[in-house]
């Protein structure tokens, strides 16, 4: 199914995934990031995806996305009534225009809260057909949830059942083989920090991770700026702090306790070193023959002087060794 590139899809998918983590992991005091070491789990038999032949009503967009595991992400235009059915064919999620509900007495709801299937409460094991208990989760037209079938590597395909505006729909989910890796984009730092006591490096051969360290010889605290010149990270004397209200906070791949609008800055490192994902290192050229460039501005917190950390992005071809 081609992804419909409309504003409501882009806006809703981002919001629904962010909301799904705060809801699915509601028992945890930490905000988790969308990339983890085991993110490839569940793809040995192919990558789960919505079939290209699947047909959804206008105003709905369904995707399989990879967070800490594969999960579904449904976006609507806010004008639909949709119910998601579990493996037992009982609805456990309901989208009523811009309102999102969950049936707390549906086993599907509890299964959807963890990648491999969340635990089912004892009260439902004894009586799985309890009367529905629909509760309002939030006002938003989209959501992301786990389905244990997505990580069953020996399951070649299955149907996700739903009701859309009163009509039953079965969306075919199938596994496709990943294209062979021929190379990767390698970020390179081409200049050294000018500020005393500030170290910077690209810690890996690929990806968008960037490492900054405030050393004991530093004479000031430092701020990492976004493309508009607003700080989102601060390297202070007592550690590294993140503006949890910043638009990039959910994509820097750091664990943190969420702040508030009144106190948005939260500590993400007790030391002066932080390794985070910087979106600017992901701006790849259109052609592999081209070299990309990126800039990370760092400034002294109590001053106006900036140091532009500049880098390149080059394609590295993987050469197959022949014995």
């Amino acid at each position: 199914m081609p992804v419909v590139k409309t504003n409501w899809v882009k806006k809703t998918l981002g919001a629904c995934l962010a909301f799904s983590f705060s809801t699915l992991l509601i028992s945890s005091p930490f905000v988790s990031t969308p990339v983890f070491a085991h993110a490839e789990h569940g793809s040995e038999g192919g990558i789960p995806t919505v079939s290209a032949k699947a047909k959804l009503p206008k105003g709905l967009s369904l995707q399989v996305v990879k967070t800490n595991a594969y999960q579904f992400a449904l976006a609507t235009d806010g004008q639909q009534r949709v119910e998601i059915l579990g493996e037992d064919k009982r609805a456990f999620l309901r989208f009523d225009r811009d309102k999102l509900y969950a049936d707390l007495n549906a086993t599907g709801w509890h299964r959807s809260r963890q990648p491999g299937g969340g635990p089912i409460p004892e009260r439902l094991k004894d009586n799985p057909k309890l009367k529905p208990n629909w509760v309002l989760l939030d006002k938003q037209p989209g959501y992301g949830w786990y389905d244990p079938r997505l990580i069953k590597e020996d399951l070649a395909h299955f149907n996700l059942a739903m009701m859309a505006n009163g009509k039953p729909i079965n969306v075919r989910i199938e596994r496709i083989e990943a294209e062979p890796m021929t190379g990767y984009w390698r970020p390179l730092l081409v200049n050294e920090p000018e500020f005393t006591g500030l170290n910077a490096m690209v810690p890996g051969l690929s990806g968008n991770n960037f490492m900054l360290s405030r050393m004991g010889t530093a004479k000031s605290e430092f701020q990492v700026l976004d493309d508009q010149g607003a700080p989102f990270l601060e390297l202070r004397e007592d550690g590294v702090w993140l503006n949890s209200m910043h638009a990039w906070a959910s994509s820097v791949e750091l664990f943190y306790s969420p702040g508030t609008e009144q106190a948005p800055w939260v500590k993400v490192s007790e030391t002066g070193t932080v390794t985070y994902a910087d979106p600017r290192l992901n701006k790849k050229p259109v052609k592999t023959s081209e070299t990309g460039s990126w800039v990370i501005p760092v400034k002294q917190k109590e001053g106006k002087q900036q140091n532009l950390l500049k880098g390149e992005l080059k394609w590295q071809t993987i050469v197959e060794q022949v014995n």
Side-chain angles (χ1 to χ4, degrees), residues 96-164:
D96 192 352
R97 298 176 69 88
D98 66 342
K99 294 184 177 65
L100 173 64
Y101 297 86
D103 179 5
L104 302 188
N105 284 342
T107 58
W109 163 247
H110 299 279
R111 295 278 288 165
S112 74
R113 299 184 68 185
Q114 291 181 17
I120 299 174
E122 290 297 327
R123 61 184 178 82
L124 296 183
K125 290 181 180 179
D126 299 334
N127 189 0
K129 296 184 178 180
L130 282 177
K131 181 180 178 181
N133 178 21
W134 291 100
V135 297
L136 178 66
L137 293 182
D138 197 28
K139 290 190 63 175
Q140 66 166 41
Y143 189 64
W145 71 96
Y146 298 114
D147 189 309
R149 293 172 292 183
L150 290 173
I151 62 173
K152 290 183 178 179
E153 297 167 348
D154 58 347
L155 185 63
H157 57 82
F158 66 91
N159 288 330
L160 175 67
M162 63 174 67
M163 295 287 293

Side-chain angles (χ1 to χ4, degrees), residues 3-4 44 50 78 131 146 177 185 200 225 230 240 242 262-263 280 286 291-292 311 321:
V3 177
V4 182
E44 288 298 323
V50 177
K131 181 180 178 181
Y146 298 114
E177 292 297 326
W185 289 100
L225 310 181
V240 181
L242 169 73
Q262 293 74 28
R280 288 165 289 205
V286 177
T291 298
Q321 295 182 350

